[in-house]
Amino acid sequence: AQSVTQPDIHITVSEGASLELRCNYSYGATPYLFWYVQSPGQGLQLLLKYFSGDTLVQGIKGFEAEFKRSQSSFNLRKPSVHWSDAAEYFCAVGPPDSWGKLQFGAGTQVVVTP
Amino acid sequence: SAVISQKPSRDICQRGTSLTIQCQVDSQVTMMFWYRQQPGQSLTLIATANQGSEATYESGFVIDKFPISRPNLTFSTLTVSNMSPEDSSIYLCSVVGAEGGSNEQFFGPGTRLTVL
């Protein structure tokens, strides 16, 4: 069965520290991979996506993610978090042949402390 | 890019009633979808809204409960029928294939529904 796992429900990080959010997936073939952010009162915003090619993907707001096929992972990283990065982060996968039909992970709530 | 608006932004409804949510996009798009986000949970795809034909529903969702219309390339509606408290969720419209853009997927701001 297809699944997306975000092992960390909640992460607290100090402002200026690095952040890594984990995402593992189970899929028949290599899916399209996405990270979205949902801030309080805001809609979903795409941070970055991976379709093919270079396994290190750069996104907006200083985020990057690395696709590791051998580990079925697509972890999100940011070297230095800002208070405005406090939000919920969702990893999502989608079938290469069917745009838009995403399966989302449970989400990771990120809290940034001063 | 695509700018998506949803109406209403939120509503409180009584058990047994129905609510229709509208999704309007500022440009023609190839595909439109409806997602649900239950309280404290992730997003789940309800259905693909097909222009001029019946929507395609995901497992666990049926047309009688969630009728969907898509009369043109910029507009869709989702109706939540015979509501129960378990239908309390945020309902999000999503689109792919905006004019002049890539196949990037955009999400609307959501409609927050509370059923009493």
Side-chain angles (χ1 to χ4, degrees):
Chain A
Q2 299 168 2
S3 65
V4 183
T5 302
Q6 293 180 246
D8 304 305
I9 297 172
H10 187 274
I11 286 180
T12 299
V13 59
S14 299
E15 191 168 13
S18 64
L19 174 68
E20 180 167 14
L21 303 182
R22 295 182 290 165
C23 175
N24 293 93
Y25 65 90
S26 174
Y27 213 83
T30 300
Y32 289 167
L33 297 158
F34 307 82
W35 275 99
Y36 283 87
V37 61
Q38 187 176 44
S39 301
Q42 304 292 316
L44 275 171
Q45 183 178 23
L46 178 67
L47 287 175
L48 47 77
K49 60 184 182 286
Y50 174 79
F51 294 161
S52 64
D54 192 346
T55 57
L56 185 62
V57 181
Q58 301 298 319
I60 62 172
K61 303 186 178 187
F63 285 93
E64 67 177 24
E66 185 172 13
F67 169 60
K68 292 186 176 180
R69 185 189 304 274
S70 61
Q71 299 178 19
S72 296
S73 69
F74 189 55
N75 294 347
L76 181 72
R77 298 192 292 256
K78 185 168 184 177
S80 176
V81 299
H82 185 262
W83 63 265
S84 60
D85 293 323
E88 182 133 29
Y89 293 79
F90 292 97
C91 179
V93 302
D97 59 349
S98 190
W99 290 97
K101 301 177 73 170
L102 300 182
Q103 183 171 354
F104 284 81
T108 298
Q109 184 71 46
V110 173
V111 173
V112 181
T113 59
Chain B
S1 66
V3 177
I4 304 170
S5 60
Q6 289 185 229
K7 291 181 180 179
S9 59
R10 60 178 60 223
D11 207 343
I12 301 174
C13 300
Q14 296 298 318
R15 181 195 299 260
T17 62
S18 298
L19 176 72
T20 296
I21 302 168
Q22 298 179 2
C23 174
Q24 179 72 55
V25 192
D26 68 342
S27 62
Q28 294 186 348
V29 294
T30 307
M31 289 170 279
M32 297 182 77
F33 306 88
W34 287 97
Y35 283 79
R36 178 176 75 179
Q37 186 175 21
Q38 293 178 296
Q41 299 196 28
S42 187
L43 288 84
T44 302
L45 178 63
I46 298 172
T48 303
N50 299 310
Q51 190 210 352
S53 64
E54 192 171 286
T56 305
Y57 291 85
E58 298 300 306
S59 175
F61 298 96
V62 295
I63 187 171
D64 290 345
K65 177 66 177 177
F66 297 103
I68 288 170
S69 77
R70 188 182 173 191
N72 56 49
L73 294 177
T74 64
F75 185 79
S76 177
T77 66
L78 167 74
T79 298
V80 186
S81 303
N82 188 23
M83 288 183 285
S84 67
E86 293 70 35
D87 295 320
S88 297
S89 298
I90 299 174
Y91 292 86
L92 298 102
C93 174
S94 179
V95 305
V96 173
E99 286 179 356
S102 65
N103 281 324
E104 185 168 342
Q105 185 161 5
F106 299 92
F107 286 82
T111 295
R112 183 180 295 272
L113 170 63
T114 302
V115 184
L116 303 178

